[in-house]
Amino acid sequence: MGDHGGPYLFDVGVIALAHTDAPVRDAALSYVRDAIAGEIDAVVPHPAVYGAHEVLTTYYGYANADASRLMSNFLDAKRIHWHDRLPEATVRGGLDRAAEADVGGWDGYYAQVAVEEGVNTVLTIDDDFERFDAFETEVILSRAEFETLNEYLRE
């Protein structure tokens, strides 16, 4: 696993990828399994579950019911720290972070949650989070694996 240590915040792409049959899913699945087992300290914001559902149906072609079942099962993981608050200060902080780092609003939100939760490392499949200095970013896919994933998604 990574050398930065937890707590780890799980990005939408990692959660979704772990629940697919994509050829590079093992990188994500190993982290999700460790989180479910309580072997790593994992933080997952509740909205990430909806985001992963959206990714599963839109990009991976999962049926709505299948994606809902997968995400409901994931929600049953009791050892994950579920970030379930969304006060105005968090929303505004996320928007400020998105503006400062020139990233999308969702990435700003995840960065804000990472800071509020004392996260050391954000697990992701893209490098947008590297624009933030408040935590480490671990891109779980190599460039070659990312290309493999993109090819898989184009099929």
Side-chain angles (χ1 to χ4, degrees), residues 58-72:
T58 303
Y59 298 102
Y60 291 99
Y62 277 68
N64 207 321
D66 291 336
S68 292
R69 179 183 46 79
L70 288 168
M71 290 301 94
S72 286

Side-chain angles (χ1 to χ4, degrees), residues 84-149:
D84 58 359
R85 304 178 311 283
L86 195 51
E88 183 177 334
T90 300
V91 177
R92 289 190 186 279
L95 292 172
D96 289 346
R97 288 181 190 280
E100 290 165 16
D102 194 25
V103 297
W106 280 111
D107 286 353
Y109 164 70
Y110 292 118
Q112 180 67 26
V113 170
V115 170
E116 289 178 11
E117 291 287 353
V119 163
N120 289 331
T121 308
V122 172
L123 298 174
T124 183
I125 62 171
D126 63 57
D127 58 9
D128 284 350
F129 287 99
E130 291 176 352
R131 299 181 191 181
F132 297 102
D133 295 328
F135 45 78
E136 296 294 326
T137 299
E138 186 167 330
V139 180
I140 65 163
L141 297 179
S142 68
R143 191 170 303 259
E145 287 171 325
F146 195 76
E147 280 305 309
T148 300
L149 178 59

